[in-house]
Amino acid sequence: MATRAGGIVRIEAEAGDERVTLRVKDNGPGVRRDLREQVFEPFFTAKSGHLGLGLAIARGMVRAYGGRIWYARSKDHWTTFTVEFPLGPPASTSAFRPVPLTLRRARSVLVVDDDAAVRTTIRRFLE
């Protein structure tokens, strides 16, 4: 979208009886046909200077909550990424037991993102 003048992004949300659906649409250049099978793979990117982790992480998070994610390109040149989640929480395979956090020593968090502004914001939040 950064290279396209007049680019538009639309976000739609819809709640059904059993699922919640979120759609993110744009009229950007889309994904090249020869690369479409790879967009959700870790470290795949067609953008210079990016790491290619965003969609792979998104897919993992969506699946962890019992949802699914996919994309499609329409004939009128809009790309739509769709995410569906069940209305209820995912079935858990183990009991959740909260563990109190005691800050007796320094903790480390690894933040990986190809956008410097996102990394800076997360770092400030964590600090």
Side-chain angles (χ1 to χ4, degrees):
M1 291 293 294
T3 61
R4 184 177 184 138
I8 299 170
V9 176
R10 294 181 181 155
I11 300 173
E12 302 170 355
E14 174 185 341
D17 291 337
E18 298 179 11
R19 301 190 79 68
V20 174
T21 304
L22 175 69
R23 291 181 195 87
V24 180
K25 301 178 175 187
D26 72 54
N27 65 345
V31 180
R32 290 186 358 219
R33 284 187 184 271
D34 60 324
L35 304 178
R36 290 184 180 174
E37 296 298 317
Q38 299 168 290
V39 296
F40 291 104
E41 296 301 318
F43 303 107
F44 170 78
T45 183
K47 298 177 182 177
S48 177
H50 291 257
L51 294 177
L53 290 172
L55 289 173
I57 291 170
R59 180 181 61 178
M61 291 171 35
V62 168
R63 285 181 176 173
Y65 283 92
R68 60 190 190 122
I69 182 172
W70 71 94
Y71 79 96
R73 182 87 169 160
S74 66
K75 291 179 183 178
D76 59 354
H77 304 291
W78 283 79
T79 299
T80 303
F81 280 84
T82 304
V83 180
E84 280 187 349
F85 290 104
L87 277 179
S92 177
T93 57
S94 63
F96 174 72
R97 293 186 206 118
V99 177
L101 177 63
T102 55
L103 298 176
R104 295 184 188 161
R105 59 187 175 100
R107 304 282 183 185
S108 296
V109 176
L110 174 63
V111 176
V112 179
D113 197 288
D114 58 356
D115 187 321
V118 171
R119 288 192 310 269
T120 301
T121 301
I122 293 173
R123 180 179 180 172
R124 288 180 183 157
F125 173 78
L126 291 172
E127 288 177 341

